[in-house]
């Protein structure tokens, strides 16, 4: 991924990104960070780029023309119109979903203002996204740009090693991380929670989820209103089950997965809450099945694999126990299946917020984009 930072202080950007994980990512070619000095596009022989504000008032304002030319220089270099982000406190505050969606771009221009800001007219003409890193005022946009580059880079393939992986992060679920421990086992008379030494990965995953919830309630209760529990229900050939689990895991770290080929589940009532999300993966979605990694996660907890699919069981019969209560639902399957399912689910008080073609299981990139799209739609729904 290529970042182009338009700034009056390029060395501030280069010094910071050359260090630590972003430094390693630049060296291994996963990201590039190019700086463009806005001063190089000054229209005056003094090389100044600021002037007094019309209407009076304190401070100086950055002129439109040098900023415009700096943006155009990047467009000319890459041969297309990239997204242009302006770092400003007058914007929605950056969150993990926005970070991940920006990581899908090939090129990203980040515009840093100084003084009292930039002439409004050039912002109107060039900026596609306004982003704030928090409700406080900095002396310039550079620290914001650095925060954005750092957070986005973590989702660019090749930036993090396997151990550093960003695939299963709590913040995706609007939850805080659980507490971490390392050696020694006892420190200042305090022991590591025994469950972490048990070797029981399912129990550990459950414990961590509980700790994440507890911590979020205590420290960031505001996050919980945007937090939801993913419940994936699949039926069909074995590929559908695998794909259901893959999709669940890309949407949520703590998703639950159920195989509705199983007779017992069909009979058990499942009453979903408004803060649940139903992911329904139907038979058409198994065609391009992909082997599921053998890791143990809560999504695959307690599922006995390879229950035979019985196509003679009707949709209404299979899901006779399934009820929503203004619960959002995402359907994956062929057009016909989706049609039938959405009529049924509407009667059961679900709201279908997305219909997805089984083609999403054709590759990692497609799946990731679908997961992002789902997460954005659920946030909108809530
Ligand atoms: N907060 N989030 C921020 C900021 C400085 C005057 C416009 C922020 O992202 N950027 O405070 N930026 C101002 C300084 C010009 C940018």
């Amino acid at each position: 991924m290529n970042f182009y930072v338009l700034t009056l202080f390029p060395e501030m950007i280069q010094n910071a990104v050359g260090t630590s994980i972003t430094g390693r990512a630049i060296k291994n070619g996963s990201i590039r960070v190019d700086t463009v000095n806005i001063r190089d596009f000054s229209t005056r022989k003094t090389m100044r780029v600021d002037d007094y504000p019309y209407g009076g008032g304190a401070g100086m304002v950055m002129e439109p023309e040098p900023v415009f030319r700096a943006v155009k220089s990047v467009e000319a270099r890459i041969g297309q119109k990239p997204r242009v982000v302006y770092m400003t406190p007058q914007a929605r505050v950056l969150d993990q979903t926005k970070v991940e969606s920006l990581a899908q771009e090939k090129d990203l221009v980040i515009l840093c203002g100084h003084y009292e800001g930039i002439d409004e007219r050039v912002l109107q003409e060039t900026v596609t996204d306004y982003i704030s890193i928090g409700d406080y005022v900095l002396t310039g946009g550079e620290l914001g740009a650095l925060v954005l580059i750092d957070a986005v880079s973590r989702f660019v393939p090749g930036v993090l090693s396997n151990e550093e992986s960003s695939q299963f992060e709590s913040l995706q679920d609007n939850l805080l991380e659980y507490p971490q421990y390392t050696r020694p086992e006892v420190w200042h008379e305090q022991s590591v929670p025994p469950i972490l030494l048990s070797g029981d990965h399912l129990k550990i995953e459950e414990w961590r989820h509980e700790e994440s919830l507890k911590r979020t309630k205590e420290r960031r209760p505001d996050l919980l209103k945007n937090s939801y529990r993913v419940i994936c229900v699949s039926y069909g050939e074995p590929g559908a089950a695998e794909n259901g689990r893959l999709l669940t895991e890309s949407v949520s770290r703590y998703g639950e997965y159920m195989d509705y080929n199983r007779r017992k589940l069909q009979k058990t009532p499942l009453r979903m809450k408004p803060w649940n999300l139903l992911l329904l993966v139907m038979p058409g979605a198994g065609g391009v099945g992909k082997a599921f990694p053998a890791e143990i996660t809560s999504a695959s907890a307690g599922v006995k694999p390879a229950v035979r699919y019985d196509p003679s069981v009707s949709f209404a019969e299979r899901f006779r126990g399934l009820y929503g209560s203004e619960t959002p639902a995402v359907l994956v399957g062929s057009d016909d299946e989706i049609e039938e399912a959405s009529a049924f689910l509407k009667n059961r008080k679900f709201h279908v917020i997305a219909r997805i073609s089984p083609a999403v299981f054709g590759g990692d990139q497609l799946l990731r984009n679908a997961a992002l799209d789902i997460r954005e739609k659920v946030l909108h729904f809530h």
Side-chain angles (χ1 to χ4, degrees), residues 178 193-211 253-254 296-298 301-302:
Y178 46 79
I195 181 104
L196 298 178
L197 311 176
S198 71
D200 185 337
H201 297 295
L202 288 178
K203 278 266 155 57
I204 290 172
E205 198 56 15
E206 258 169 50
W207 180 86
R208 286 178 163 170
H209 186 205
E210 282 307 315
E211 291 298 310
R253 173 172 182 150
Y254 300 111
I296 299 170
T297 70
S298 64

Side-chain angles (χ1 to χ4, degrees), residues 62 86-91 111-118 131-145:
M62 286 172 70
Y86 182 49
M87 303 310 304
T88 169
Q90 302 168 21
L111 175 58
C112 304
H114 251 267
Y115 317 117
E116 298 308 308
I118 300 178
I131 297 180
S132 167
I133 61 156
D135 295 329
Y136 37 77
V137 183
L138 305 167
T139 57
E142 286 74 15
L143 285 171

